[in-house]
Structures are given as structure tokens and as C-alpha cells.
Amino acid sequence: MKILVCGKGGCGKSTLTALLAQAMCRQGYNVLVVDNDESNFGLHRQLGMELPQDFLNYFGGKKELVEKMMKAFSSGEKATFFEHRWEISDIPEAYVSKNGNLSLMAVGKIHDSGEGCACPMGALSKQLLKNIDTSSNDFVLVDTEAGIEHFGRGVEEGCDILLMVVDPSYESIRLAEKISSLADSIEKPLYYICNRIEDASMEILLDAIPGSKILATVPINGSIFKAGLLGEEFRINVPEIEELSGFLKNMQESEYQN
Ligand SMILES: Nc1ncnc2c1ncn2[C@@H]1O[C@H](COP(=O)(O)OP(=O)(O)O)[C@@H](O)[C@H]1O
Ligand SMILES: [Mg+2]
């Protein structure tokens, strides 16, 4: 199953992706985290890993990828980056950090001022996710950049479900409405994790988000915040995330039974 994690900036996407990835590993799955945020230089630390080199480099780097896209565009075609279908184990080792059954890859980071936009990363992510086949023992978790640009780039297309992280803010409530209509338009199931929640804020969120689609409600957690601030590997067992991993396990099992 391929799950895309989205939401507004600072709502907790990377934090919850890392915690969920670790929890899914504890459930015995092979988990691939795809770092799809070109501006995030911290997710690998939360997973206790080195930042792998940009997957873009496998295709000759950003410039080469852009040239390929332009060439295809000028002949009225779409550039294709993959010649055959991949499984997780087909991702070349040079582009993956590993820790037991957890793998991390980074599509591409912004390295230099004036290097150009992140569209090639979006185009590559879209094709990568559409091109990867997962087995009943695999989970792919995609950590995205803030907001909804990845919808514009079509990154969601290759994913099975969308998981929106909602923090108690007006902006998140508005964004939840927008993401709900975007998810409907591409017929992808959308679920929510409410994060950094206290009782009073949950009441307000429940007015805006369908309760039946909320898979977890995570409270403010001092250990998460401290490890995040120090750039330390998470070694935190969050009961709500463990429960979520059990839910996803059941979802995956019933998917593969049908
Ligand atoms: N449940 C939580 N309790 C305490 N702090 C949290 C929690 N979730 C996230 N944070 C903190 O919120 C900040 C933003 O989280 P982050 O995962 O980087 O957000 P995003 O990836 O959506 O931009 C970080 O400082 C992180 O440690
Ligand atoms: Mg992030």
C-alpha cells in the first residue's frame, strides 16, 4: 500500500510519517519512506538515518531531467523515466538509506540558490510512485512538502490512500476542505490524523472534518517535540500511532484478501 501524507506547513507531516514508518516496521512490514519535500533536511534524522543522495541523480541530475522533459514536450509527448516496473528492492542501493526493514529515499533537494523550481522533482515523484509495485508485506509512506502543490504535479496519482495531518488551526481547517475536493476529483480515499490536539480544539475540528475519517488523534507530546528539536532519532512509542499502524495493517490485509 502506498500512502501519501499531506497537510499545511508545520502541522506534523514529517514527524508523523517518521513515527508511523517506525510503527509499521514494528508490525513486521518492509517500509519505504519517500522524502518528497525538497526543503526538508531533517526527516532522515528522525528515522536515525543518513540522508541518501537525491534520486534525481540516478537520471543524471536535475538539469538532465529537465532537458529530457523539454525534449519530450517539444515533440508533444510526456517524458518517461522508467522503462519497466519496479519493486522496492529495485531502487538502486546508492539512493537508499537502510535500517533493518526501514528504507528511506529522497527524490531531490534544493541545493543552490537560483537552481530552478522543484517541478522536475514532482514529475519524477509522480512517475516513481506510479511505477512501484508493492506486495502485501510492503508499505510506502510519502512525506510531502507543505500545501497542495503536489496535487498540481499529480504526485497523488500513484498512491492508494491520502492521509492529511490536521493541526488545530484555521488554515488547516480550510485546507482540509480543499484537499477533500481534490481527493474526490482524483477518486482517492482521504483520511485524517489530527495532531497536537487538546479537547477544546478537537470539538472545533470535528465541526469541519468527518469524524469517521479520522484515523488517529495525537496529543501534544513533549518527547516528540524535544527529539524533533534536537534532530534525534525517534525512540518514542506513541499509542495513537501504534493503533493507527494496526488499523493500516488490517486495511492492507483485507485489501490483499479481496
Ligand atoms: N504531537 C506533537 N507533539 C509535540 N510536537 C509536535 C507534535 N507533532 C509535531 N510536533 C512538532 O511540530 C513541529 C512541526 O512538525 P513537522 O513534522 O516538521 O511538520 P511538517 O512536516 O508538517 O512541516 C516540529 O517542531 C515537531 O517536533
Ligand atoms: Mg515536513
Side-chain angles (χ1 to χ4, degrees), residues 57-72:
N57 293 346
Y58 178 69
F59 299 90
K62 192 173 180 184
K63 205 165 156 251
E64 193 121 329
L65 211 76
V66 171
E67 277 166 17
K68 194 167 185 194
M69 286 165 71
M70 298 296 278
K71 202 169 156 205

Side-chain angles (χ1 to χ4, degrees), residues 159-163 183-184 186-191 213 251:
C159 296
D160 302 304
I161 69 170
L162 314 181
L163 208 47
D184 280 351
I186 53 171
E187 297 179 353
K188 296 286 175 188
L190 170 66
Y191 297 96
K213 296 289 166 88
M251 201 188 242

Side-chain angles (χ1 to χ4, degrees), residues 6-17 19 37 40 46 143-146 165 194-197 218-229 234 238:
C6 60
K8 81 164 191 47
C11 64
K13 296 177 293 300
S14 302
T15 302
L16 297 183
T17 300
L19 289 167
D37 182 351
N40 179 331
Q46 295 166 340
D143 182 31
T144 58
E145 78 278 6
V165 180
C194 297
N195 189 30
R196 290 198 304 254
I197 297 301
V218 181
I220 295 173
N221 180 315
S223 308
I224 294 178
F225 183 77
K226 190 172 174 208
L229 176 62
F234 288 147
V238 181

Side-chain angles (χ1 to χ4, degrees), residues 80-113:
T80 47
F81 306 136
F82 296 89
E83 277 153 22
H84 56 87
R85 299 205 57 81
W86 282 18
E87 294 175 2
I88 291 176
S89 56
D90 292 321
I91 302 164
E93 264 179 38
Y95 302 91
V96 185
S97 290
K98 278 200 171 149
N99 183 359
N101 50 345
L102 179 61
S103 304
L104 169 71
M105 67 186 297
V107 176
K109 301 289 177 190
I110 298 288
H111 297 285
D112 300 309
S113 173

